[in-house]
């Protein structure tokens, strides 16, 4: 069983009284948001007071990373706490409601499965993108309630009530049953998140609030556009409005927790799933290099914050590298769930690091890989060896966050060490189990080896 309670929070943190329920866990994920595009990341033109509140009242991770530079693999890592290359989930799945080889492999145990086993109500609101077959449905992967769409992107104003194969128009579903879309989609997610919290006010709950905003199509309603008359660039203005709708939803979540007196009983994470796809959706990743799809910092370094009033320090900046894979073990530790060693997690429980009890970095090294090794990167301390072209490049990320000065020839011994570390890690990974969305069709079954 995986539900043995082991509260080991130290003296600087408040121990949960025995009669208190385990904390709620909320993971708020945005989609294709730029690194620079929240107030707490320094944005001057996009106001996000509610998202900023999470960083202000909790911990701001200034070296916060995701495990992949695009949508679905990041979500696979987030849901499992494991490098998704370990189990072949390295590409975005082609939408196919019949192909069970495409999506989160059934070998994997998910965060909602683990929390559900420990008595949590588990809810998904928003985007799934981890497989489209009935067996891949989030209701089969640990969620007790879902209000979502199954694909990787969605129109914000229109939806079909029967799946016709057009991914962007897939039904909006409540617990697997299509419902009509009659409002701006982000407003719907916001209302459903608020309702889930209120419905489970007396339960420990896990809410995965996976916004598809501000992923394309770039669409916003007048209510939010009217807030950004000061932004002249039309696409940037639309994008800002999309994020402002998300910020309103985060505000609704925070207000519901406050009203229900659940603030100190709720651990919240906020992050984005990959860097902004500059310049396509109006996002900005300054001062980072490149964006979505790249293993330069612009693809993998994201706005990242967590708060748990009374348990995590408030107003803290945490500058050691952390990764989205850490959310699962941290959430389990907060919930008092001891993960089985059989899970072979790559993520780290951050609680003792955030409390200041452990000074060592959570990770000795972090790794990334796309396309089965077409591009890759390894980060150790301040240095990052990244291979996106013909040859690796070495950057001092602490001194050169924009990756402008290649130090490959300056530190040959370090390059050799990092290359060896990557090769060792890479030897533990497998090749992608399914091809990239948009790639050439797979060979017919008879031609497969
Ligand atoms: Ca994304």
């Amino acid at each position: 069983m995986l539900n043995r309670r082991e509260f080991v929070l130290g003296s600087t943190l408040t121990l949960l009284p025995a009669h208190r329920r385990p904390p709620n866990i909320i993971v708020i994920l945005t989609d294709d948001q730029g690194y620079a595009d929240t107030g707490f990341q320094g944005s001057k033109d996009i106001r996000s007071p509610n998202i900023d509140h999470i960083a202000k009242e909790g911990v701001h991770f200034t070296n916060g990373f995701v495990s992949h530079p695009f949508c679905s693999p990041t979500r696979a890592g987030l849901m499992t706490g494991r490098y998704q290359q370990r189990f072949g989930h390295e590409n975005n799945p082609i939408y196919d409601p019949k192909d069970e080889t495409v999506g989160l492999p059934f070998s994997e145990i998910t965060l909602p499965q683990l929390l559900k086993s420990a008595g949590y109500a588990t809810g998904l609101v928003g985007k799934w993108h981890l497989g489209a077959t009935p067996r891949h449905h989030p209701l089969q992967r640990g969620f007790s309630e879902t209000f979502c769409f199954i694909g990787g992107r969605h129109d914000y104003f229109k939806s079909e009530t029967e799946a016709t194969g057009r991914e962007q128009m897939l039904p909006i579903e409540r617990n697997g049953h299509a419902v009509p879309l009659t409002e701006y989609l982000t407003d719907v997610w916001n209302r459903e998140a608020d309702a889930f919290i209120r419905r489970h006010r007396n339960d420990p709950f896990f809410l995965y609030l996976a916004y598809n905003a501000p992923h394309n199509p770039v669409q916003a309603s007048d209510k939010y556009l009217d807030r950004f008359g000061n932004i002249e660039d039309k696409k940037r203005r639309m994008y800002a409005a999309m994020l402002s709708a998300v910020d309103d939803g985060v505000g609704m979540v925070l207000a519901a927790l406050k009203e229900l007196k659940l603030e100190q009983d709720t651990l919240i994470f906020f992050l984005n799933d990959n860097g902004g796809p500059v310049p396509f959706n109006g996002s900005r990743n300054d001062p980072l290099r490149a964006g979505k799809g790249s293993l330069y910092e612009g693809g993998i370094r994201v706005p990242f914050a967590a708060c748990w009033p009374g348990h995590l320090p408030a107003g803290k900046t945490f500058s050691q590298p952390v990764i989205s894979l850490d959310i699962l073990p941290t959430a389990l530790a907060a919930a008092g769930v001891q993960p089985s060693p059989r899970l072979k997690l790559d993520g780290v429980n951050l609680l003792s690091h955030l409390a200041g009890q452990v000074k060592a970095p959570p990770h000795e090294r972090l790794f990334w890989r796309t396309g089965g090794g077409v591009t890759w990167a390894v980060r150790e301390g301040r240095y990052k060896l990244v291979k996106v072209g013909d040859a690796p490049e070495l950057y001092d990320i602490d001194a050169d966050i924009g990756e402008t000065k290649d130090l490959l020839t300056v530190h040959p011994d370090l390059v050799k060490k990092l290359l060896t570390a990557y090769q060792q890690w890479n030897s533990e990974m497998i090749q992608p189990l399914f091809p990239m969305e948009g790639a050439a069709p797979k060979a017919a079954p008879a031609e497969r080896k």
Side-chain angles (χ1 to χ4, degrees):
M1 294 296 288
L2 299 173
N3 60 355
R4 185 160 53 94
R5 303 205 172 284
E6 287 191 349
F7 283 104
V8 289
L9 304 187
S11 57
T12 57
L13 296 174
T14 306
L15 283 165
L16 291 175
H19 66 277
R20 297 291 296 263
R21 69 187 198 180
N24 309 309
I25 311 289
I26 301 179
V27 175
I28 303 171
L29 186 70
T30 54
D31 194 353
D32 286 15
Q33 180 188 346
Y35 181 71
D37 294 332
T38 51
F40 80 93
Q41 291 289 103
S43 178
K44 302 294 184 211
D45 60 348
I46 298 178
R47 299 174 297 279
S48 57
N50 297 302
I51 297 171
D52 298 349
H53 183 88
I54 296 171
K56 188 177 161 194
E57 297 302 319
V59 181
H60 177 194
F61 299 101
T62 54
N63 264 282
F65 293 91
V66 283
S67 60
H68 217 73
F70 50 85
C71 301
S72 184
T74 285
R75 288 153 207 271
L78 175 65
M79 284 292 113
T80 61
R82 284 155 51 78
Y83 282 115
Q84 60 279 355
Q85 297 90 346
R86 288 195 186 281
F87 48 88
H89 197 126
E90 200 165 339
N91 289 317
N92 279 342
I94 296 163
Y95 171 72
D96 185 339
K98 292 186 177 148
D99 188 348
E100 290 190 344
T101 68
V102 178
L104 183 66
F106 301 114
S107 57
E108 299 307 303
I109 309 285
T110 67
L111 175 57
Q113 275 181 285
L114 294 164
L115 290 173
K116 192 176 180 182
S117 296
Y120 276 63
T122 53
L124 162 65
V125 173
K127 163 173 160 175
W128 178 234
H129 207 200
L130 287 172
T133 75
R135 275 184 81 197
H136 283 103
H137 196 278
L139 287 171
Q140 305 299 323
R141 305 311 298 268
F143 288 100
S144 51
E145 297 177 27
T146 60
F147 192 96
C148 66
F149 66 86
I150 293 301
R153 68 186 72 83
H154 206 285
D155 193 282
Y156 289 84
F157 292 105
K158 294 179 290 185
S159 170
E160 294 172 341
T161 50
E162 282 187 33
T164 62
R166 291 196 294 169
E167 186 174 7
Q168 190 167 307
M169 295 295 289
L170 283 175
I172 304 299
E173 309 177 355
R174 182 189 298 284
N175 297 326
H177 301 287
V179 295
L181 176 60
T182 57
E183 299 169 70
Y184 182 54
L185 186 54
T186 303
D187 287 338
V188 178
W189 302 145
N190 292 346
R191 190 184 63 235
E192 290 296 327
D194 176 80
F196 178 86
I197 291 168
R198 292 175 189 279
R199 196 158 59 241
H200 294 289
R201 58 197 297 168
N202 296 320
D203 310 316
F205 65 76
F206 168 60
L207 172 61
Y208 175 37
L209 178 50
Y211 288 101
N212 55 313
H215 194 294
N216 66 30
V218 181
Q219 298 172 335
S221 60
D222 289 343
K223 173 183 172 185
Y224 301 108
L225 278 168
D226 289 347
R227 297 176 183 178
F228 295 95
N230 58 317
I231 299 179
E232 288 186 9
D233 180 273
K234 278 187 180 173
K235 191 182 286 182
R236 177 74 176 169
R237 185 176 169 219
M238 191 74 79
Y239 168 88
M242 295 170 85
L243 265 183
S244 198
V246 170
D247 191 66
D248 272 24
V250 175
M252 289 170 68
V253 165
L254 296 173
L257 295 174
K258 186 172 186 178
E259 182 189 326
L260 300 172
K261 297 185 168 48
L262 292 174
E263 286 174 300
Q264 296 202 356
D265 290 318
T266 307
L267 168 59
I268 306 176
F269 294 94
F270 174 87
L271 74 165
N272 172 42
D273 73 333
N274 53 253
V278 288
F280 301 109
N281 70 344
S283 57
R284 287 183 184 157
N285 294 323
D286 337 335
L288 308 182
R289 181 171 177 177
K292 179 178 181 178
S294 174
L295 292 186
Y296 288 125
E297 295 289 275
I300 53 176
R301 187 173 180 136
V302 295
F304 201 147
C307 74
W308 186 12
H311 303 273
L312 291 184
K316 184 183 178 80
T317 296
F318 191 82
S319 58
Q320 293 171 337
V322 301
I323 192 164
S324 47
L325 308 178
D326 298 334
I327 289 176
L328 181 146
T330 304
L332 291 184
V337 176
Q338 177 72 21
S340 164
R342 294 195 308 273
L343 293 175
K344 296 184 178 168
L345 300 177
D346 291 303
V348 168
N349 166 16
L350 298 175
L351 292 180
S352 56
H353 295 271
L354 301 180
Q357 297 158 330
V358 177
K359 303 291 184 195
H363 298 271
E364 183 183 9
R365 300 185 188 96
L366 293 176
F367 298 95
W368 294 266
R369 191 186 82 177
T370 70
V374 175
T375 71
W376 55 263
V378 50
R379 169 84 182 261
E380 179 182 310
R382 59 192 300 147
Y383 291 100
K384 173 182 165 189
L385 187 69
V386 54
K387 192 259 180 193
V388 295
D390 293 336
E393 302 157 45
L394 181 74
Y395 295 101
D396 178 347
I397 298 297
D398 285 355
D400 179 22
I401 195 173
E403 295 169 289
T404 61
K405 189 177 178 188
D406 182 3
L407 302 173
L408 192 82
T409 59
V410 179
H411 301 296
D413 290 345
L414 178 61
V415 169
K416 193 175 174 187
K417 180 184 170 195
L418 293 178
L419 180 59
T420 302
Y422 169 73
Q423 288 168 339
Q424 171 60 39
W425 174 85
N426 189 47
S427 72
E428 299 173 16
M429 304 299 125
I430 65 172
Q431 282 298 296
L433 288 183
F434 48 88
M436 187 66 183
E437 171 191 40
K442 284 188 290 188
E447 296 170 344
R448 286 186 201 159
K449 299 292 180 190

